[in-house]
Amino acid sequence: DVKVTQSSRYLVKRTGEKVFLECVQDMDHENMFWYRQDPGLGLRLIYFSYDVKMKEKGDIPEGYSVSREKKERFSLILESASTNQTSMYLCASSFRTIQETQYFGPGTRLLVL
Amino acid sequence: AQKVTQAQTEISVVEKEDVTLDCVYETRDTTYYLFWYKQPPSGELVFLIRRNSFDEQNEISGRYSWNFQKSTSSFNFTITASQVVDSAVYFCALSEEEYGNKLVFGAGTILRVKS
């Protein structure tokens, strides 16, 4: 079974704090993704990575950065958290080719006060 | 323009009713993939099905069935004899060859099944 884990299920942070969200997958997938989910908007892609140390911007990268130092681990960084980054964050991974299914972690609910 | 439209924001049914969740997509690619995911209250997205653009055969898996029609750009999902455990948010998503492995999601449909 594919396993994607995320470091926290719930996080509460203050405005201006630096926030790290971690994601680990155990299936040797090349691709990893970070999405945010907001009511009525579905999931929107923030960043993705198709290899170690490689990253590409998704649809809403502003205010975020990512790091992929090892194949199994993909980190999302909020450099200076703001209240409009309160959301559900979902990590996913897949093999590289287009038809491959993305498998998701349990999500992190982030509240920025 | 939205590439994946799930026009039904929320649907409520009584247990044992059949329910269909609509998904309309938009693409210029000839090679693309369509997906359905289920998100129960626990939050994790669970993969249900993947369909490629060259395979228009309908699929049935237990109480779930999917109807793919390229002529109307639709990929609808039907749950037969719904159960309370089917209550969840359901997402339809599109992956296009032009954009690699990226998924574009619809806004989701909340399904509530009452006993």
Coordinates of all heavy atoms in Angstrom, one line a residue, chain A residues 22-110:
Chain A
E22 N 5.8 19.1 6.6 CA 6.6 18.0 6.0 C 5.8 16.9 5.5 O 4.7 16.5 6.0 CB 7.6 17.5 7.1 CG 8.5 18.5 7.7 CD 9.9 18.2 7.3 OE1 10.4 17.1 7.7 OE2 10.6 19.0 6.7
C23 N 6.3 16.3 4.4 CA 5.6 15.2 3.8 C 6.6 14.1 3.4 O 7.6 14.4 2.9 CB 4.9 15.7 2.5 SG 4.1 14.4 1.5
V24 N 6.2 12.8 3.7 CA 7.1 11.7 3.4 C 6.3 10.6 2.7 O 5.2 10.3 3.2 CB 7.7 11.2 4.7 CG1 8.6 9.9 4.4 CG2 8.5 12.2 5.4
Q25 N 6.9 10.1 1.7 CA 6.2 8.9 1.0 C 7.2 7.8 0.9 O 8.4 8.0 0.9 CB 5.8 9.3 -0.4 CG 6.8 10.0 -1.3 CD 7.6 9.1 -2.2 OE1 7.3 7.9 -2.3 NE2 8.6 9.7 -2.9
D26 N 6.6 6.6 0.9 CA 7.5 5.4 1.0 C 7.4 4.5 -0.2 O 7.7 3.3 -0.2 CB 7.1 4.6 2.3 CG 5.7 4.0 2.2 OD1 5.0 4.2 1.2 OD2 5.3 3.3 3.1
M27 N 7.0 5.1 -1.3 CA 6.8 4.3 -2.6 C 7.8 4.6 -3.6 O 7.6 4.2 -4.8 CB 5.4 4.5 -3.1 CG 4.3 3.7 -2.3 SD 4.7 1.9 -2.3 CE 4.5 1.5 -4.1
D28 N 8.9 5.3 -3.3 CA 9.9 5.6 -4.3 C 9.3 6.4 -5.5 O 9.8 6.3 -6.6 CB 10.6 4.3 -4.8 CG 12.0 4.6 -5.3 OD1 12.6 5.5 -4.8 OD2 12.4 3.9 -6.3
H29 N 8.3 7.2 -5.2 CA 7.7 8.1 -6.3 C 8.6 9.2 -6.6 O 9.3 9.8 -5.8 CB 6.4 8.6 -5.8 CG 5.3 7.6 -5.8 ND1 4.1 7.8 -5.1 CD2 5.2 6.4 -6.4 CE1 3.3 6.8 -5.2 NE2 3.9 5.9 -6.0
E30 N 8.7 9.5 -8.0 CA 9.5 10.6 -8.4 C 8.8 12.0 -8.1 O 9.5 12.9 -7.7 CB 9.8 10.6 -9.9 CG 10.7 9.4 -10.3 CD 9.8 8.2 -10.7 OE1 8.6 8.2 -10.7 OE2 10.4 7.1 -11.0
N31 N 7.5 12.0 -8.3 CA 6.8 13.3 -8.2 C 6.2 13.4 -6.8 O 5.7 12.5 -6.2 CB 5.6 13.3 -9.2 CG 6.0 13.4 -10.7 OD1 7.2 13.6 -10.9 ND2 5.1 13.1 -11.5
M32 N 6.3 14.7 -6.4 CA 5.6 15.0 -5.1 C 4.9 16.4 -5.3 O 5.4 17.2 -6.1 CB 6.5 15.0 -3.9 CG 7.1 13.6 -3.6 SD 8.0 13.5 -2.1 CE 6.7 13.5 -0.9
F33 N 3.8 16.6 -4.6 CA 3.0 17.8 -4.8 C 2.5 18.3 -3.5 O 2.3 17.6 -2.6 CB 1.7 17.4 -5.6 CG 2.0 16.7 -6.9 CD1 2.2 15.3 -6.9 CD2 2.0 17.3 -8.1 CE1 2.4 14.6 -8.1 CE2 2.2 16.7 -9.3 CZ 2.4 15.3 -9.3
W34 N 2.3 19.7 -3.5 CA 1.6 20.3 -2.4 C 0.4 21.1 -2.9 O 0.6 21.9 -3.9 CB 2.6 21.3 -1.6 CG 3.4 20.7 -0.6 CD1 4.7 20.4 -0.6 CD2 2.9 20.2 0.7 NE1 5.1 19.8 0.5 CE2 4.1 19.7 1.4 CE3 1.7 20.2 1.3 CZ2 4.0 19.1 2.7 CZ3 1.6 19.6 2.6 CH2 2.8 19.1 3.3
Y35 N -0.7 20.8 -2.3 CA -2.0 21.5 -2.6 C -2.5 22.2 -1.4 O -2.2 21.8 -0.3 CB -3.0 20.5 -3.1 CG -2.8 19.7 -4.3 CD1 -2.1 18.5 -4.3 CD2 -3.3 20.2 -5.5 CE1 -1.8 17.8 -5.4 CE2 -3.0 19.4 -6.7 CZ -2.3 18.3 -6.6 OH -2.1 17.5 -7.8
R36 N -3.3 23.2 -1.6 CA -4.1 23.7 -0.5 C -5.6 23.6 -1.0 O -5.9 23.7 -2.1 CB -3.8 25.1 -0.1 CG -4.1 26.2 -1.1 CD -3.8 27.6 -0.5 NE -4.9 28.1 0.3 CZ -4.8 29.2 1.0 NH1 -3.8 30.0 1.0 NH2 -5.9 29.6 1.7
Q37 N -6.4 23.3 0.0 CA -7.9 23.1 -0.2 C -8.7 24.1 0.6 O -8.5 24.2 1.8 CB -8.2 21.6 0.3 CG -9.7 21.3 0.0 CD -10.1 20.0 0.6 OE1 -9.3 19.3 1.1 NE2 -11.4 19.6 0.4
D38 N -9.5 24.8 -0.1 CA -10.4 25.8 0.5 C -11.8 25.5 0.0 O -12.0 25.1 -1.2 CB -9.9 27.2 0.1 CG -8.5 27.5 0.5 OD1 -8.3 27.6 1.8 OD2 -7.6 27.5 -0.3
P39 N -12.8 25.8 0.8 CA -14.2 25.5 0.5 C -14.6 26.2 -0.8 O -14.3 27.4 -1.0 CB -15.0 26.0 1.7 CG -14.0 26.0 2.8 CD -12.7 26.3 2.2
G40 N -15.2 25.4 -1.7 CA -15.7 26.0 -3.0 C -14.6 26.2 -4.0 O -15.0 26.5 -5.2
L41 N -13.4 25.9 -3.7 CA -12.3 26.1 -4.7 C -11.6 24.8 -5.0 O -10.8 24.7 -5.9 CB -11.3 27.1 -4.1 CG -11.7 28.5 -3.9 CD1 -10.6 29.3 -3.2 CD2 -12.2 29.1 -5.2
G42 N -12.0 23.7 -4.4 CA -11.3 22.4 -4.6 C -9.9 22.5 -4.2 O -9.5 23.2 -3.2
L43 N -9.0 21.7 -4.8 CA -7.6 21.7 -4.5 C -6.9 22.5 -5.5 O -7.1 22.4 -6.7 CB -7.1 20.2 -4.5 CG -7.3 19.4 -3.3 CD1 -8.8 19.0 -3.2 CD2 -6.4 18.2 -3.3
R44 N -5.9 23.3 -5.0 CA -5.1 24.1 -5.9 C -3.7 23.8 -5.7 O -3.2 23.7 -4.6 CB -5.4 25.6 -5.7 CG -6.8 26.0 -6.1 CD -7.0 27.5 -5.8 NE -7.1 27.8 -4.4 CZ -7.0 29.0 -3.9 NH1 -6.9 30.0 -4.7 NH2 -7.0 29.1 -2.6
L45 N -2.9 23.6 -6.8 CA -1.5 23.2 -6.7 C -0.6 24.4 -6.3 O -0.7 25.4 -7.0 CB -1.1 22.6 -8.1 CG 0.3 22.1 -8.2 CD1 0.5 20.9 -7.2 CD2 0.6 21.7 -9.6
I46 N 0.2 24.2 -5.3 CA 1.1 25.2 -4.9 C 2.4 25.1 -5.5 O 3.0 26.0 -6.2 CB 1.3 25.2 -3.3 CG1 -0.1 25.3 -2.6 CG2 2.2 26.3 -2.9 CD1 0.0 25.1 -1.1
Y47 N 3.0 23.9 -5.3 CA 4.3 23.6 -5.9 C 4.4 22.1 -6.2 O 3.6 21.3 -5.5 CB 5.5 23.9 -4.9 CG 6.1 25.2 -5.1 CD1 5.8 26.3 -4.3 CD2 7.1 25.4 -6.0 CE1 6.4 27.5 -4.4 CE2 7.8 26.7 -6.1 CZ 7.4 27.7 -5.3 OH 8.0 28.9 -5.4
F48 N 5.2 21.7 -7.1 CA 5.5 20.3 -7.2 C 6.9 20.0 -7.6 O 7.7 21.0 -7.9 CB 4.5 19.6 -8.3 CG 4.8 20.0 -9.7 CD1 5.5 19.2 -10.5 CD2 4.3 21.2 -10.2 CE1 5.7 19.6 -11.9 CE2 4.5 21.6 -11.5 CZ 5.2 20.8 -12.3
S49 N 7.3 18.8 -7.4 CA 8.7 18.4 -7.6 C 8.8 17.1 -8.4 O 8.1 16.1 -8.0 CB 9.5 18.3 -6.3 OG 10.7 17.6 -6.5
Y50 N 9.6 17.0 -9.4 CA 9.6 15.8 -10.2 C 10.9 15.0 -10.0 O 11.2 14.0 -10.6 CB 9.4 16.0 -11.7 CG 10.3 17.1 -12.3 CD1 11.5 16.8 -12.8 CD2 9.8 18.4 -12.3 CE1 12.3 17.8 -13.3 CE2 10.6 19.4 -12.8 CZ 11.9 19.1 -13.3 OH 12.6 20.1 -13.8
D51 N 11.8 15.6 -9.1 CA 13.0 14.9 -8.8 C 13.7 15.6 -7.6 O 13.3 16.8 -7.2 CB 14.0 14.9 -9.9 CG 15.0 13.8 -9.9 OD1 15.1 13.1 -8.8 OD2 15.6 13.5 -10.9
V52 N 14.6 15.0 -7.0 CA 15.3 15.6 -5.9 C 15.9 16.9 -6.3 O 16.5 17.0 -7.4 CB 16.5 14.7 -5.4 CG1 17.3 15.3 -4.2 CG2 15.9 13.4 -4.8
K53 N 15.8 17.9 -5.5 CA 16.3 19.3 -5.7 C 15.6 20.0 -6.9 O 16.0 21.1 -7.2 CB 17.8 19.3 -5.9 CG 18.6 18.8 -4.6 CD 20.0 19.1 -4.7 CE 20.8 18.5 -3.6 NZ 20.4 19.1 -2.3
M54 N 14.6 19.4 -7.5 CA 13.9 20.0 -8.6 C 12.6 20.5 -8.0 O 11.9 19.8 -7.2 CB 13.7 19.1 -9.7 CG 15.0 18.4 -10.2 SD 16.2 19.6 -10.8 CE 15.4 20.2 -12.3
K55 N 12.1 21.6 -8.5 CA 10.8 22.1 -8.1 C 10.2 23.0 -9.2 O 11.0 23.6 -10.0 CB 10.9 23.0 -6.8 CG 11.8 24.2 -6.9 CD 11.9 24.9 -5.6 CE 12.8 26.1 -5.7 NZ 13.1 26.8 -4.5
E56 N 8.9 23.0 -9.2 CA 8.2 23.9 -10.2 C 7.0 24.5 -9.5 O 6.4 23.9 -8.7 CB 7.8 23.1 -11.4 CG 8.9 22.8 -12.4 CD 8.4 22.5 -13.8 OE1 7.3 22.9 -14.1 OE2 9.2 21.8 -14.5
K57 N 6.8 25.8 -9.9 CA 5.6 26.5 -9.3 C 4.3 25.9 -9.9 O 4.2 25.5 -11.0 CB 5.7 27.9 -9.7 CG 6.8 28.7 -9.0 CD 6.9 30.1 -9.4 CE 8.0 30.9 -8.7 NZ 8.1 32.3 -9.1
G58 N 3.3 25.8 -9.0 CA 2.0 25.5 -9.4 C 1.2 26.7 -9.7 O 1.7 27.7 -10.2
D59 N -0.1 26.7 -9.4 CA -1.0 27.8 -9.7 C -1.0 28.9 -8.7 O -1.3 30.0 -9.0 CB -2.4 27.2 -9.8 CG -2.5 26.2 -10.9 OD1 -1.9 26.4 -12.0 OD2 -3.2 25.1 -10.7
I60 N -0.6 28.6 -7.5 CA -0.6 29.6 -6.4 C 0.6 29.6 -5.5 O 0.6 29.3 -4.3 CB -1.9 29.5 -5.5 CG1 -2.1 28.0 -5.0 CG2 -3.1 29.9 -6.3 CD1 -3.0 27.9 -3.9
P61 N 1.8 29.8 -6.1 CA 3.0 29.7 -5.3 C 3.4 30.8 -4.4 O 4.2 30.7 -3.5 CB 4.1 29.6 -6.4 CG 3.5 30.4 -7.5 CD 2.0 30.2 -7.5
E62 N 2.7 32.0 -4.6 CA 3.1 33.2 -3.8 C 2.9 33.0 -2.3 O 1.9 32.5 -1.8 CB 2.2 34.4 -4.2 CG 2.3 34.8 -5.7 CD 1.6 33.8 -6.7 OE1 0.6 33.1 -6.2 OE2 1.9 33.8 -7.8
G63 N 4.0 33.3 -1.6 CA 4.0 33.2 -0.2 C 4.5 31.8 0.3 O 4.6 31.6 1.5
Y64 N 4.9 31.0 -0.6 CA 5.3 29.6 -0.2 C 6.7 29.3 -0.9 O 7.0 29.9 -1.9 CB 4.3 28.6 -0.7 CG 2.9 28.7 -0.2 CD1 2.0 29.4 -1.0 CD2 2.5 28.2 1.0 CE1 0.7 29.5 -0.5 CE2 1.2 28.3 1.5 CZ 0.3 29.0 0.7 OH -1.0 29.1 1.2
S65 N 7.4 28.4 -0.3 CA 8.6 27.8 -0.9 C 8.6 26.4 -0.6 O 7.8 25.9 0.3 CB 9.9 28.5 -0.5 OG 10.1 28.4 0.9
V66 N 9.5 25.6 -1.3 CA 9.5 24.2 -1.0 C 11.0 23.7 -1.0 O 11.9 24.4 -1.4 CB 8.8 23.4 -2.1 CG1 7.3 23.6 -2.0 CG2 9.3 23.7 -3.5
S67 N 11.2 22.5 -0.5 CA 12.5 21.9 -0.4 C 12.4 20.4 -0.6 O 11.5 19.8 0.0 CB 13.1 22.2 0.9 OG 14.3 21.5 1.1
R68 N 13.2 19.9 -1.5 CA 13.3 18.4 -1.7 C 14.7 18.0 -1.7 O 15.3 18.0 -2.8 CB 12.5 18.0 -2.9 CG 12.3 16.5 -3.0 CD 11.2 16.1 -3.8 NE 11.0 14.7 -3.8 CZ 10.5 14.1 -4.9 NH1 10.2 14.8 -6.0 NH2 10.4 12.8 -4.9
E69 N 15.2 17.7 -0.6 CA 16.6 17.2 -0.4 C 16.8 15.7 -0.6 O 17.8 15.2 -0.9 CB 17.2 17.7 0.9 CG 17.2 19.2 1.1 CD 18.2 19.8 0.1 OE1 19.3 19.3 -0.1 OE2 17.8 20.9 -0.4
K70 N 15.7 15.0 -0.3 CA 15.7 13.5 -0.4 C 14.5 13.1 -1.2 O 13.4 13.8 -1.2 CB 15.7 12.8 0.9 CG 17.0 13.0 1.7 CD 16.9 12.2 3.0 CE 18.2 12.4 3.7 NZ 18.2 11.6 5.0
K71 N 14.5 12.0 -1.9 CA 13.5 11.6 -2.8 C 12.1 11.4 -2.0 O 11.1 11.7 -2.5 CB 13.8 10.3 -3.5 CG 12.9 9.9 -4.6 CD 13.4 8.7 -5.4 CE 12.5 8.4 -6.6 NZ 13.0 7.2 -7.3
E72 N 12.2 10.9 -0.8 CA 11.0 10.6 -0.1 C 10.4 11.7 0.6 O 9.3 11.6 1.2 CB 11.3 9.4 0.9 CG 12.2 9.8 2.0 CD 13.7 9.6 1.7 OE1 14.0 9.5 0.5 OE2 14.5 9.5 2.7
R73 N 11.0 12.9 0.7 CA 10.6 14.0 1.6 C 10.4 15.3 0.8 O 11.3 15.7 0.0 CB 11.6 14.1 2.7 CG 11.2 15.1 3.8 CD 12.3 15.1 4.9 NE 12.5 13.8 5.5 CZ 11.9 13.4 6.6 NH1 11.0 14.2 7.2 NH2 12.2 12.2 7.1
F74 N 9.3 15.9 1.0 CA 9.0 17.2 0.3 C 8.4 18.1 1.4 O 7.4 17.9 2.0 CB 8.0 16.9 -0.8 CG 7.8 18.0 -1.8 CD1 8.8 18.9 -2.1 CD2 6.6 18.2 -2.4 CE1 8.7 19.9 -3.1 CE2 6.4 19.2 -3.3 CZ 7.4 20.1 -3.7
S75 N 9.1 19.3 1.6 CA 8.7 20.2 2.6 C 8.1 21.5 2.0 O 8.6 22.0 1.0 CB 9.9 20.6 3.4 OG 10.5 19.5 4.0
L76 N 7.0 21.9 2.6 CA 6.4 23.2 2.2 C 6.7 24.2 3.3 O 6.6 23.9 4.5 CB 4.9 23.0 2.1 CG 4.1 24.3 1.7 CD1 4.4 24.7 0.3 CD2 2.6 24.1 1.9
I77 N 7.2 25.4 2.9 CA 7.6 26.4 3.8 C 6.8 27.7 3.6 O 6.7 28.2 2.5 CB 9.1 26.7 3.7 CG1 9.9 25.4 3.8 CG2 9.5 27.8 4.7 CD1 11.2 25.4 3.1
L78 N 6.2 28.2 4.7 CA 5.5 29.5 4.7 C 6.5 30.4 5.3 O 6.8 30.4 6.5 CB 4.2 29.5 5.4 CG 3.0 28.7 4.8 CD1 3.3 27.2 4.6 CD2 1.8 29.0 5.6
E79 N 7.1 31.3 4.6 CA 8.2 32.1 5.1 C 7.8 33.1 6.2 O 8.5 33.3 7.1 CB 8.9 32.9 3.9 CG 9.5 32.0 2.8 CD 10.8 31.4 3.3 OE1 11.4 31.8 4.3 OE2 11.2 30.4 2.7
S80 N 6.6 33.6 6.0 CA 6.0 34.5 7.0 C 4.5 34.3 6.9 O 3.8 34.9 6.1 CB 6.4 36.0 6.7 OG 5.8 36.9 7.6
A81 N 4.0 33.5 7.8 CA 2.6 33.1 7.7 C 1.7 34.3 7.8 O 1.9 35.2 8.6 CB 2.3 32.1 8.8
S82 N 0.6 34.2 7.0 CA -0.4 35.3 7.1 C -1.8 34.6 7.3 O -1.9 33.4 7.0 CB -0.4 36.1 5.8 OG -0.7 35.3 4.7
T83 N -2.7 35.4 7.7 CA -4.1 34.8 8.0 C -4.7 34.2 6.7 O -5.5 33.2 6.9 CB -5.0 35.8 8.6 OG1 -5.1 37.0 7.7 CG2 -4.5 36.3 10.0
N84 N -4.4 34.7 5.6 CA -5.0 34.2 4.4 C -4.4 32.8 3.9 O -4.8 32.2 2.9 CB -5.0 35.2 3.2 CG -3.6 35.6 2.8 OD1 -2.6 35.0 3.1 ND2 -3.5 36.6 1.9
Q85 N -3.4 32.4 4.7 CA -2.8 31.0 4.5 C -3.5 30.0 5.4 O -3.1 28.8 5.4 CB -1.3 31.1 4.6 CG -0.7 31.9 3.5 CD 0.8 32.0 3.7 OE1 1.4 32.3 4.7 NE2 1.6 31.7 2.6
T86 N -4.4 30.4 6.2 CA -5.2 29.4 6.9 C -6.0 28.5 5.9 O -6.7 29.0 5.1 CB -6.2 30.2 7.8 OG1 -5.5 30.8 8.9 CG2 -7.2 29.2 8.4
S87 N -5.7 27.2 6.0 CA -6.3 26.3 5.0 C -5.9 24.9 5.4 O -5.3 24.6 6.4 CB -5.6 26.7 3.6 OG -6.3 25.9 2.6
M88 N -6.4 24.0 4.5 CA -6.0 22.6 4.6 C -4.9 22.4 3.6 O -5.1 22.7 2.4 CB -7.3 21.7 4.3 CG -7.0 20.2 4.1 SD -6.6 19.4 5.7 CE -7.5 17.9 5.5
Y89 N -3.8 21.8 4.0 CA -2.7 21.5 3.1 C -2.6 20.0 2.9 O -2.5 19.2 3.8 CB -1.4 22.1 3.6 CG -1.4 23.6 3.6 CD1 -2.0 24.3 4.6 CD2 -1.0 24.3 2.5 CE1 -2.0 25.7 4.6 CE2 -1.0 25.7 2.4 CZ -1.6 26.4 3.5 OH -1.6 27.8 3.4
L90 N -2.6 19.6 1.6 CA -2.5 18.2 1.2 C -1.3 17.9 0.4 O -1.0 18.7 -0.5 CB -3.7 17.8 0.5 CG -5.0 17.8 1.3 CD1 -6.2 18.0 0.4 CD2 -5.2 16.4 2.0
C91 N -0.6 16.9 0.8 CA 0.6 16.4 0.0 C 0.2 15.2 -0.8 O -0.6 14.4 -0.4 CB 1.7 16.1 1.0 SG 3.2 15.4 0.2
A92 N 0.8 15.0 -2.0 CA 0.6 13.9 -2.8 C 1.9 13.4 -3.5 O 2.8 14.2 -3.6 CB -0.5 14.2 -3.8
S93 N 1.9 12.2 -3.9 CA 3.0 11.7 -4.6 C 2.6 10.7 -5.7 O 1.5 10.2 -5.7 CB 4.0 11.0 -3.7 OG 3.5 9.7 -3.2
S94 N 3.4 10.6 -6.7 CA 3.1 9.7 -7.8 C 4.4 9.3 -8.6 O 5.4 10.0 -8.4 CB 2.1 10.3 -8.8 OG 2.8 11.3 -9.6
F95 N 4.3 8.3 -9.4 CA 5.3 8.0 -10.4 C 5.3 9.1 -11.4 O 4.3 9.9 -11.5 CB 5.2 6.6 -11.0 CG 5.5 5.5 -10.0 CD1 4.5 4.6 -9.6 CD2 6.8 5.4 -9.5 CE1 4.8 3.6 -8.7 CE2 7.1 4.4 -8.6 CZ 6.1 3.5 -8.2
R96 N 6.3 9.1 -12.3 CA 6.5 10.3 -13.1 C 5.5 10.4 -14.3 O 5.1 11.5 -14.7 CB 7.9 10.3 -13.7 CG 8.2 11.5 -14.5 CD 9.7 11.6 -14.8 NE 10.4 12.0 -13.6 CZ 11.7 11.8 -13.3 NH1 12.4 11.1 -14.2 NH2 12.3 12.2 -12.2
T97 N 5.1 9.3 -14.9 CA 4.4 9.5 -16.1 C 2.9 10.0 -15.9 O 2.4 9.9 -14.9 CB 4.3 8.1 -16.9 OG1 3.9 7.1 -15.9 CG2 5.6 7.7 -17.4
I98 N 2.4 10.6 -17.0 CA 1.1 11.3 -16.9 C 0.0 10.5 -16.4 O -0.8 11.0 -15.6 CB 0.7 11.9 -18.3 CG1 -0.6 12.6 -18.2 CG2 0.8 10.8 -19.4 CD1 -1.1 13.2 -19.5
Q99 N 0.0 9.2 -16.7 CA -1.2 8.4 -16.3 C -1.2 8.0 -14.9 O -2.1 7.3 -14.4 CB -1.4 7.2 -17.2 CG -0.3 6.2 -17.1 CD 0.8 6.4 -18.1 OE1 1.1 7.5 -18.5 NE2 1.5 5.3 -18.5
E100 N -0.1 8.2 -14.2 CA 0.0 7.7 -12.8 C -0.9 8.4 -11.8 O -1.0 9.6 -11.8 CB 1.5 7.8 -12.4 CG 2.4 6.9 -13.2 CD 2.1 5.4 -13.1 OE1 1.5 5.0 -12.1 OE2 2.5 4.7 -14.0
T101 N -1.5 7.7 -11.0 CA -2.4 8.2 -10.0 C -1.6 8.9 -8.9 O -0.5 8.4 -8.5 CB -3.2 7.0 -9.4 OG1 -4.0 6.5 -10.4 CG2 -4.1 7.5 -8.2
Q102 N -2.1 10.0 -8.4 CA -1.5 10.7 -7.2 C -2.2 10.1 -6.0 O -3.4 10.0 -5.9 CB -1.7 12.2 -7.3 CG -0.9 12.9 -8.4 CD -1.1 14.4 -8.4 OE1 -1.4 15.0 -7.4 NE2 -0.8 15.0 -9.5
Y103 N -1.3 9.8 -5.0 CA -1.8 9.3 -3.7 C -1.5 10.4 -2.7 O -0.5 11.0 -2.6 CB -1.1 8.0 -3.3 CG -1.4 6.9 -4.3 CD1 -0.7 6.7 -5.4 CD2 -2.6 6.2 -4.1 CE1 -1.0 5.7 -6.3 CE2 -2.9 5.2 -4.9 CZ -2.1 4.9 -6.1 OH -2.5 3.9 -6.9
F104 N -2.5 10.6 -1.8 CA -2.5 11.7 -0.9 C -2.3 11.4 0.5 O -2.7 10.3 1.0 CB -3.9 12.5 -1.0 CG -4.1 13.3 -2.2 CD1 -4.4 12.7 -3.4 CD2 -3.8 14.7 -2.2 CE1 -4.5 13.5 -4.6 CE2 -4.0 15.4 -3.3 CZ -4.3 14.8 -4.5
G105 N -1.7 12.3 1.3 CA -1.6 12.2 2.7 C -2.8 12.6 3.4 O -3.8 13.0 2.7
P106 N -2.9 12.6 4.7 CA -4.1 12.9 5.5 C -4.4 14.3 5.6 O -5.5 14.7 6.0 CB -3.8 12.3 6.9 CG -2.3 12.3 7.0 CD -1.8 12.1 5.6
G107 N -3.5 15.2 5.2 CA -3.7 16.6 5.3 C -3.3 17.3 6.6 O -3.2 16.6 7.6
T108 N -3.0 18.6 6.5 CA -2.7 19.4 7.7 C -3.6 20.6 7.7 O -3.6 21.3 6.7 CB -1.2 19.9 7.7 OG1 -0.3 18.7 7.7 CG2 -0.9 20.8 8.9
R109 N -4.3 20.7 8.8 CA -5.2 21.9 8.9 C -4.4 23.0 9.6 O -4.0 22.8 10.8 CB -6.4 21.6 9.7 CG -7.4 20.7 8.9 CD -8.8 20.7 9.6 NE -9.7 19.9 8.9 CZ -10.4 20.2 7.8 NH1 -10.3 21.4 7.3 NH2 -11.2 19.4 7.2
L110 N -4.1 24.0 8.9 CA -3.3 25.1 9.5 C -4.2 26.3 9.8 O -4.9 26.8 8.9 CB -2.2 25.5 8.5 CG -1.4 26.8 8.8 CD1 -0.5 26.5 10.1 CD2 -0.5 27.2 7.7

